Amino acid sequence: MLKTKSIHSPGNIILSSKENFVRRLSGFLGRGFLFLVTSTAAVAILFIIYFIAKDAIPFFQIRENAFAEFFTNSHWYPSAEPVQFGVLAIIIGSALVALGAIVVAVPLGVAASVYLSDVLPFSIRQFVKPVIEILAAIPSVAYGFFALVVFAPLLQKQGGTLLSVVWWILAIPLSFLAVMVLSDLLTSKMSSEKRRKTGRAVLVVILSGCVFWALYSVGGALNNLNITTGTNALNVSIILGIMALPTVVSVSEDALQAVGRDFRQGSYALGATRAETVIKVVLPAASSGILAAVLLGVMRALGETMVVWMASGNAAQIPVPWYNFLEPIRTLPATIAGDMGEADHVLGSARYHVLFAMGLVLLLFSLFCNLVSEWVVSRQMKKLRGGA
Amino acid sequence: MRLETRKLLDKSFSGLGLFAILIMSGALLVILAPIFKRGAEALFFEGTVEHRRMLLDKFERGNRAVLEEEIARVKAVRQPIYDILDRFEDEQTHKLNEIIRACEDLGNSEGSFGKRIKRRLNRLERAETFYDRLKIVRDISLRAEKYNGPVADLKHKAKVITELVSQLETQKEPFFQLKEILHELLGPAPGEDLPVLIRKQYGQSRWDRAQVKLHLFFNVETWDYSDPSKMGQLSYTPRVEQFRGTVLEELFPYVEQNQKELLEPRWTFYWGFLTDKSMDAHMFGGIMPEVLGTVYLTLGAIIFSVPIGIIAAIYLTEYTRGGYMVSFLRSCISTLAGVPSIVFGLFGLAFFINTVQVSSSKSVLAGSLTLALLVLPTIIRASEEAIKAVPQTYKSAALSLGAGKWHTVLTVVLPSALPGILTGIVISMGRAAGETAPIIFTAAVSVMGALYNPIEALSHPTYALSWNIFNLSTEHEAVDEIRHVQFGMVMVLVMIVLLLNLTAIIVRARISKKLQT
């Protein structure tokens, strides 16, 4: 005889009250267990905030006037006598490379995501996606190594030429377009067709002359640029921009996809071209999602350690003028990583705690960015759902 | 606006997107190409006889009989070089002896002057080396020049001696440099004591490095700092100029003609790069310890994070229906994903090492736990997506057959979500393997004693590919000499990560195909 007590045997479909109780209890306990395990993630983030703050706060207690020194002094001399822990230059360095990375990543990333979501057919998109995934997957230390060993010497030796080539590649098509559109707009008010044509031709010639002269002088200036060191803010910005690209592309593509088909079809029905549809309808509707993409890109650039540690030159100084990207700078993560080796055997010193204070600044900023981007995305979702 | 302009704008708009995609792909190529090209050179290169000698000595690899024959051949080719060096030294000694004879001539002169010179000449007997004697002779010549007695001839003789001494002295430093570079190129000279440092025991093991050294052998580097507004300008002058009129002049054409015979470069596939441990701070040997460390850390991170991640995903998808608690949890998970990696490192140091003290110092355990936290959000999200993608009909069917909720999840939902979950795990492995910042304070070291088995390693610090790439390319004392090792390491790390990601991409493609049919 088979003795089965499981629910599979038809005889036991109705449970006794004891069995029922055991079942409910085990179900409850099971759920509790699952909940506990799941909350590990929540506990982790709370622990991270707590433990970073716990080691950061002593810095502000040990030193007099530490708060003002931390944020307004730009002299970082952690092992000099007297010691100075001014982090301003380092914060500015971080902000600078984040800005540079955004300048590289956002135009490229948004253009690429628009192309992926609105122009490319699905079959080709499948081949482009892995490119983005691989860009995201390459370890940061490999990017840093590339920046230090390949890119920095190139920038130092042929930086001027390189920059002017990039300038020409970017500027020529854009300025050509600008000339066409401008001359078209300026002549659109003219009455007769014939006058409009001649006016346009004249304007095109004049404008392109001016534009070419401007381009040429800028290109020449770039070509003669003397780059003293290849490990500078420009190098790091470009590499960080490339690293932030996948984030920007995937988040803004999600945002563009979230804008429904009906928006696009409505715009096409009114006679708009694809460009006009994207620029005037899709992008505004997805603007908050793209803002989230920018924020996440900033976070990626700010939080990156290896690239800036290896290739930024690690000079704690504010460039003169501040937008001089050709000077070496120093960033928060690089300072934490680089100085901990000298600080962790003097546990409890101001030098040890100031690094945690920097970590706290970094952490709080990334939390802020994360919350804002999450809020922005959820608001967009709500709006689009309401609007559709 | 005219219709043509609008069309043009539309086209250029698409062009802009295409341009962005091309730039992205181009950037990927530009970054990967040098890494793979120069990384491959770590495994596949023209190895010299020194490389084979090192392999036989240190790793017992290679055919001893053949190699000995080869070494004898090379030795025969190298012998003339050392002969020339000896002849040069003889020549120098000969010149010195002539000078000494001239000094003795001075010493034979009358009066207190001659006595003073003689006293100094007596010191020569105690002098052991050539350069000690040269020093004494220089002393004599300086003294002799001060002579202001009646014999005019003496002053002239003293001047001649000084000149000859200066000649010998100016060749001292260049000769040392020459010997030094020959040592770097060919290894220790015959009869020389075996140096302690392994890198000094062998010449150049790679032909590409040997060529660099050969260039330095034929040319002297000089830096020109005359223009203060620019950085120093590097220029090369032929080394032979330093030895014009000496025996050493013959050396340079001889080496030039016998470059290859001196080192016998041959194409080598050095698979040991992946399986050997390193020798003398990566001057020789492979990167196995680093690869092993990365594997330990990655597996550790996965072992800790996968159970938690999958359970959390099950809870979030199957057992909850929204609510504040759940949205709070989700918020926390996405926040955790946004924490900068260096902050994870700080947390690992402050919590796992200083507070909980999972180990007394850096360890694989602390590093794995830190990395586990880092990849946890990725695993949760991927598993959630995979579980959500399981069709509702599966679950309904299981429930209708009388299976309980937990039973359904275990036997129906999880197996069908498994490929998706695996994809997430594999991508997380790639992330964990490549991360550097979290393990700087928690696990990675650049120098350590022995290698450990997985269990011992848990409580010991470890090498790791990512950390050692940084370390070798910035803090190593001979950064330029081991570029190939650095590139090789980067290539191996990138390959590991790319292979993992490729697996994920393929699995995902197969899932989506399955879902479509």
Coordinates of all heavy atoms in Angstrom, one line a residue, chain B residues 214-247:
Chain B
L214 N 69.2 47.5 -28.1 CA 70.2 47.6 -29.1 C 70.3 49.1 -29.6 O 71.4 49.6 -29.8 CB 69.9 46.7 -30.3 CG 70.3 45.3 -30.1 CD1 69.7 44.4 -31.2 CD2 71.9 45.2 -30.2
H215 N 69.1 49.7 -29.7 CA 69.1 51.1 -30.1 C 69.9 51.9 -29.0 O 70.7 52.8 -29.4 CB 67.7 51.6 -30.2 CG 67.6 53.0 -30.7 ND1 67.2 54.0 -29.9 CD2 67.9 53.5 -31.9 CE1 67.2 55.1 -30.6 NE2 67.7 54.9 -31.8
L216 N 69.6 51.6 -27.8 CA 70.4 52.3 -26.7 C 71.8 52.0 -26.7 O 72.6 52.7 -26.2 CB 69.7 52.0 -25.4 CG 68.4 52.7 -25.1 CD1 67.9 52.3 -23.7 CD2 68.5 54.2 -25.2
F217 N 72.1 50.8 -27.2 CA 73.5 50.4 -27.3 C 74.3 51.2 -28.3 O 75.4 51.7 -28.1 CB 73.6 48.9 -27.6 CG 75.0 48.4 -27.9 CD1 75.9 48.2 -26.8 CD2 75.4 48.2 -29.2 CE1 77.2 47.7 -27.1 CE2 76.7 47.7 -29.4 CZ 77.6 47.5 -28.4
F218 N 73.6 51.4 -29.5 CA 74.3 52.1 -30.5 C 74.2 53.6 -30.3 O 75.0 54.4 -30.9 CB 73.7 51.8 -31.9 CG 74.0 50.4 -32.3 CD1 73.0 49.4 -32.5 CD2 75.3 50.0 -32.5 CE1 73.2 48.2 -32.9 CE2 75.6 48.7 -32.9 CZ 74.6 47.8 -33.1
N219 N 73.2 54.1 -29.6 CA 73.1 55.5 -29.4 C 73.0 56.0 -28.0 O 72.6 55.2 -27.1 CB 71.7 56.0 -30.1 CG 71.7 55.6 -31.5 OD1 72.4 56.3 -32.3 ND2 71.0 54.6 -31.9
V220 N 73.5 57.2 -27.7 CA 73.4 57.7 -26.4 C 72.2 58.7 -26.3 O 72.1 59.6 -27.2 CB 74.7 58.5 -26.0 CG1 74.7 58.9 -24.6 CG2 75.9 57.6 -26.3
E221 N 71.4 58.6 -25.3 CA 70.3 59.5 -25.1 C 70.8 60.8 -24.5 O 71.5 60.8 -23.5 CB 69.3 58.9 -24.1 CG 68.1 58.3 -24.7 CD 67.1 57.8 -23.7 OE1 67.3 58.1 -22.5 OE2 66.2 57.1 -24.1
T222 N 70.5 61.9 -25.1 CA 70.8 63.2 -24.5 C 69.6 64.1 -24.5 O 68.8 64.1 -25.4 CB 71.9 63.9 -25.2 OG1 71.7 63.8 -26.6 CG2 73.3 63.4 -24.9
W223 N 69.4 64.7 -23.4 CA 68.2 65.6 -23.2 C 68.7 67.1 -23.3 O 69.7 67.4 -22.7 CB 67.6 65.4 -21.9 CG 66.8 64.1 -21.8 CD1 67.3 62.9 -21.4 CD2 65.5 63.9 -22.1 NE1 66.4 62.0 -21.5 CE2 65.2 62.5 -21.9 CE3 64.4 64.7 -22.6 CZ2 64.0 61.9 -22.2 CZ3 63.2 64.1 -22.9 CH2 63.0 62.7 -22.7
D224 N 68.0 67.8 -24.1 CA 68.4 69.2 -24.3 C 67.4 70.1 -23.6 O 66.2 70.1 -23.9 CB 68.3 69.5 -25.8 CG 68.6 71.0 -26.1 OD1 69.1 71.6 -25.2 OD2 68.2 71.4 -27.2
Y225 N 67.8 70.8 -22.6 CA 67.0 71.6 -21.8 C 67.2 73.1 -22.1 O 66.9 74.0 -21.3 CB 67.2 71.4 -20.3 CG 66.7 70.0 -19.9 CD1 67.6 69.0 -19.6 CD2 65.3 69.8 -19.7 CE1 67.1 67.8 -19.2 CE2 64.9 68.5 -19.3 CZ 65.8 67.5 -19.1 OH 65.3 66.3 -18.7
S226 N 67.8 73.4 -23.2 CA 68.3 74.8 -23.5 C 67.1 75.7 -23.6 O 67.2 76.9 -23.3 CB 69.1 74.8 -24.7 OG 68.4 74.3 -25.8
D227 N 66.0 75.2 -24.1 CA 64.8 76.1 -24.3 C 63.9 75.9 -23.0 O 63.2 74.9 -22.9 CB 64.0 75.7 -25.5 CG 62.9 76.7 -25.8 OD1 62.7 77.5 -25.0 OD2 62.2 76.5 -26.9
P228 N 63.9 76.9 -22.1 CA 63.2 76.7 -20.9 C 61.7 76.7 -21.1 O 60.9 76.2 -20.2 CB 63.6 77.9 -20.0 CG 64.1 78.9 -21.0 CD 64.6 78.2 -22.2
S229 N 61.2 77.2 -22.2 CA 59.7 77.3 -22.3 C 59.1 75.9 -22.8 O 57.9 75.7 -22.6 CB 59.3 78.3 -23.4 OG 59.8 77.9 -24.7
K230 N 60.0 75.1 -23.3 CA 59.5 73.7 -23.7 C 60.0 72.7 -22.8 O 60.9 72.9 -21.9 CB 60.0 73.4 -25.1 CG 59.2 74.1 -26.2 CD 59.7 73.7 -27.5 CE 58.9 74.4 -28.7 NZ 59.6 74.2 -29.9
M231 N 59.5 71.5 -22.9 CA 60.0 70.4 -22.2 C 61.3 69.9 -22.8 O 61.6 70.2 -24.0 CB 59.0 69.2 -22.2 CG 57.8 69.6 -21.4 SD 57.1 68.3 -20.6 CE 56.4 67.4 -21.9
G232 N 62.2 69.2 -22.1 CA 63.4 68.7 -22.6 C 63.3 68.0 -23.9 O 62.4 67.2 -24.1
Q233 N 64.1 68.3 -24.9 CA 64.1 67.6 -26.2 C 65.1 66.4 -26.1 O 66.2 66.6 -25.8 CB 64.4 68.5 -27.3 CG 63.5 69.7 -27.4 CD 62.1 69.3 -27.9 OE1 62.0 68.6 -28.9 NE2 61.1 69.8 -27.2
L234 N 64.6 65.3 -26.5 CA 65.4 64.1 -26.6 C 66.1 64.0 -27.9 O 65.5 64.2 -29.0 CB 64.5 62.8 -26.4 CG 65.2 61.5 -26.4 CD1 66.1 61.4 -25.2 CD2 64.2 60.4 -26.4
S235 N 67.4 63.7 -27.9 CA 68.1 63.4 -29.1 C 69.1 62.3 -28.9 O 69.5 62.0 -27.8 CB 68.8 64.7 -29.6 OG 69.8 65.1 -28.7
Y236 N 69.5 61.6 -30.0 CA 70.4 60.5 -29.9 C 71.7 60.8 -30.6 O 71.7 61.4 -31.7 CB 69.7 59.3 -30.5 CG 68.6 58.7 -29.7 CD1 67.3 59.0 -30.1 CD2 68.8 58.0 -28.6 CE1 66.2 58.6 -29.4 CE2 67.7 57.5 -27.9 CZ 66.4 57.8 -28.3 OH 65.3 57.3 -27.6
T237 N 72.8 60.5 -30.0 CA 74.1 60.6 -30.7 C 74.7 59.2 -30.7 O 74.6 58.5 -29.7 CB 75.0 61.6 -30.0 OG1 75.1 61.2 -28.6 CG2 74.5 63.0 -30.2
P238 N 75.4 58.9 -31.8 CA 76.0 57.5 -31.8 C 77.0 57.3 -30.7 O 77.8 58.2 -30.4 CB 76.7 57.5 -33.2 CG 76.1 58.6 -34.0 CD 75.6 59.6 -33.0
R239 N 76.9 56.1 -30.1 CA 77.7 55.8 -28.9 C 79.2 55.7 -29.3 O 80.1 56.0 -28.6 CB 77.2 54.6 -28.2 CG 77.8 54.3 -26.8 CD 77.3 53.1 -26.2 NE 75.9 53.3 -25.8 CZ 75.5 53.8 -24.6 NH1 76.5 54.2 -23.8 NH2 74.3 53.9 -24.2
V240 N 79.4 55.3 -30.6 CA 80.7 55.0 -31.0 C 81.6 56.2 -30.9 O 82.8 56.1 -30.7 CB 80.7 54.4 -32.5 CG1 80.2 55.4 -33.5 CG2 82.1 53.9 -32.9
E241 N 81.0 57.4 -31.0 CA 81.7 58.7 -30.9 C 82.5 58.8 -29.6 O 83.6 59.4 -29.6 CB 80.8 59.9 -31.1 CG 80.1 60.0 -32.4 CD 81.0 60.1 -33.6 OE1 82.2 60.6 -33.4 OE2 80.6 59.6 -34.7
Q242 N 82.0 58.2 -28.6 CA 82.6 58.3 -27.3 C 83.9 57.5 -27.2 O 84.8 57.7 -26.4 CB 81.7 57.8 -26.2 CG 80.5 58.6 -26.0 CD 79.6 58.1 -24.9 OE1 79.5 56.9 -24.7 NE2 78.8 59.0 -24.3
F243 N 84.1 56.5 -28.2 CA 85.2 55.7 -28.1 C 86.1 55.7 -29.4 O 86.8 54.8 -29.7 CB 84.8 54.2 -27.9 CG 84.0 54.0 -26.6 CD1 82.6 53.9 -26.7 CD2 84.6 54.0 -25.4 CE1 81.8 53.8 -25.6 CE2 83.8 53.9 -24.2 CZ 82.4 53.8 -24.3
R244 N 86.0 56.9 -30.1 CA 86.8 57.0 -31.2 C 88.3 56.8 -30.9 O 88.8 57.4 -29.9 CB 86.7 58.5 -31.8 CG 85.4 58.6 -32.7 CD 85.7 58.1 -34.1 NE 84.4 58.1 -34.8 CZ 83.9 57.1 -35.4 NH1 84.5 55.9 -35.3 NH2 82.7 57.2 -36.1
G245 N 89.0 56.1 -31.7 CA 90.4 55.9 -31.5 C 90.8 54.9 -30.5 O 92.0 54.7 -30.2
T246 N 89.8 54.1 -30.0 CA 90.1 53.0 -29.1 C 89.7 51.7 -29.8 O 89.1 51.7 -30.8 CB 89.4 53.2 -27.8 OG1 88.0 53.0 -28.1 CG2 89.6 54.5 -27.1
V247 N 90.0 50.6 -29.1 CA 89.7 49.3 -29.6 C 88.2 49.1 -29.7 O 87.7 48.4 -30.6 CB 90.3 48.2 -28.7 CG1 90.3 46.9 -29.4 CG2 91.6 48.6 -28.1

